[in-house]
Amino acid sequence: MSTYTTIKRLLPKGRCLILSGPFLWLLVFFLMPFIFVAKISVAEAELSIPPYTAMFDWIDGVLGIRVSINNFLWVLDDPLYVQAYLNSIKMAFFSTLFCLLLGYPMAYAIAKAPKEQQTVWLLLVLLPSWTSFLIRVYAWVGLLKNNGLINGLLMWLGIIDDPIQMINTNFAVYVGIVYSYLPFMVLPLYANLVKHDNALLEAAADLGAGHFTRLFRITLPLSINGIVAGSMLVFIPVVGEYVIPELLGGTETIMIGKVLWQEFFNNRDWPVASALALIMVFILIIPITLFHRFQNKEANL
């Protein structure tokens, strides 16, 4: 038997062995917690430890199963929860749009920079991420508050007479989200743009196409996979964001992450909170599917 035949026979076993690690990891740290949350979501709140009813009970030798969909009906019927979902999707959409408008020129400039400079520019994009996420968000509190650095500078320059209310507003939440998630937009765009064939742009220039024509007719269509991948990397986590709305947003900034926290820890209504989490997962299935689809396309380029 030749060595090639031996390797060919052992390859499927080796592949299964290699893939078993990630699958086991997902099973333990994603699927099992998801099953626990789903189990709690069909229970009822109760003053006990844990604060919900058991799904299975054994009475007089009879196994009973208690499943309730009242939590899902309550969530979908309550205007507060519906508004929280709508606000989360709206803020995630506009935050993604702002990140795209800022991130695309940055990624394009990095991709067109000389090779020896690209690593430096990418390092500058990633450098803030080396600091704790919580510390970076707290820094914006000091910048945006009424007696903070930005208001102090504007008043010192004579541009304003009274402080501008920036903290505890949706504006502050947008600033914090765009600042925190901008690298997630820049990196996929750069990875796409750096692989473009410059010969296409040179041919278009020889045919008389201007800079903006080349950008919108060649570069932009070719970078659609990077745009979708970057947008999904921003949109998906922002929908469930908790820290930024809690620290920078006001009482009117209602996002599903804050509502989840309140239901779990303030109201101790774990079944309703679990139902909220499951509905959010179902809402994100579509963008997650799109992300994986375009990620596969990007990998095949």
Side-chain angles (χ1 to χ4, degrees):
M1 182 181 296
S2 65
T3 305
Y4 174 77
T5 306
T6 305
I7 295 176
K8 188 175 180 180
R9 288 187 176 183
L10 292 177
L11 184 59
K13 297 181 180 179
R15 182 182 301 172
C16 293
L17 183 61
I18 294 173
L19 294 178
S20 62
F23 276 112
L24 182 62
W25 178 274
L26 290 175
L27 177 66
V28 174
F29 294 102
F30 176 76
L31 184 59
M32 291 184 64
F34 182 82
I35 293 174
F36 289 147
V37 171
K39 172 180 172 293
I40 297 173
S41 68
V42 294
E44 295 179 357
E46 182 177 76
L47 293 176
S48 61
I49 299 176
Y52 55 86
T53 58
M55 177 180 288
F56 304 100
D57 53 23
W58 188 270
I59 301 177
D60 296 332
V62 178
L63 177 64
I65 302 177
R66 304 172 60 182
V67 175
S68 173
I69 62 171
N70 291 333
N71 299 315
F72 294 94
L73 297 177
W74 172 264
V75 168
L76 296 176
D77 187 61
D78 195 315
L80 173 65
Y81 300 130
V82 175
Q83 189 63 37
Y85 283 118
L86 294 177
N87 284 346
S88 298
I89 294 173
K90 182 189 74 172
M91 299 199 75
F93 173 79
F94 284 108
S95 298
T96 302
L97 181 62
F98 295 147
C99 284
L100 178 60
L101 295 177
L102 290 174
Y104 197 95
M106 293 174 60
Y108 184 82
I110 296 173
K112 296 302 178 182
K115 292 290 184 181
E116 61 273 9
Q117 297 182 12
Q118 291 181 9
T119 304
V120 177
W121 292 116
L122 287 174
L123 184 62
L124 292 177
V125 171
L126 293 172
L127 196 59
S129 302
W130 296 359
T131 308
S132 170
F133 175 77
L134 191 61
I135 293 176
R136 288 186 284 128
V137 177
Y138 264 118
W140 278 105
V141 176
L143 291 172
L144 297 175
K145 62 184 180 181
N146 290 347
N147 58 345
L149 181 62
I150 295 178
N151 273 312
L153 180 62
L154 293 176
M155 294 177 67
W156 180 74
L157 294 174
I159 298 176
I160 59 174
D161 296 326
D162 298 315
I164 301 175
Q165 180 65 35
M166 292 183 286
I167 197 70
N168 296 330
T169 63
N170 287 342
F171 168 77
V173 177
Y174 281 122
V175 170
I177 291 176
V178 172
Y179 165 76
S180 301
Y181 288 93
L182 186 59
F184 294 95
M185 179 67 73
V186 173
L187 295 180
L189 285 172
Y190 164 78
N192 178 280
L193 292 169
V194 77
K195 294 187 294 185
H196 288 187
D197 189 356
N198 291 328
L200 296 174
L201 300 177
E202 294 173 359
D206 293 339
L207 294 173
H211 179 74
F212 287 101
T213 302
R214 284 176 281 161
L215 176 64
F216 288 102
R217 297 291 296 273
I218 299 177
T219 305
L220 195 61
L222 290 176
S223 60
I224 188 66
N225 291 336
I227 292 174
V228 173
S231 298
M232 293 301 101
L233 283 176
V234 175
F235 181 86
I236 292 171
V238 170
V239 170
E241 180 61 51
Y242 166 74
V243 174
I244 296 175
E246 178 68 19
L247 295 180
L248 300 180
T251 55
E252 297 181 359
T253 305
I254 302 176
M255 293 185 67
I256 198 63
K258 292 180 64 175
V259 176
L260 275 171
W261 172 273
Q262 292 170 358
E263 292 294 343
F264 262 117
F265 298 101
N266 294 346
N267 301 336
R268 288 189 60 80
D269 194 342
W270 289 21
V272 169
S274 299
L276 285 168
L278 282 183
I279 294 175
M280 184 176 67
V281 171
F282 292 142
I283 291 174
L284 293 177
I285 285 177
I286 295 177
I288 290 173
T289 303
L290 289 175
F291 169 70
H292 283 289
R293 177 184 175 186
F294 282 92
Q295 190 179 42
N296 293 332
K297 287 184 178 181
E298 184 72 12
N300 294 328
L301 289 178

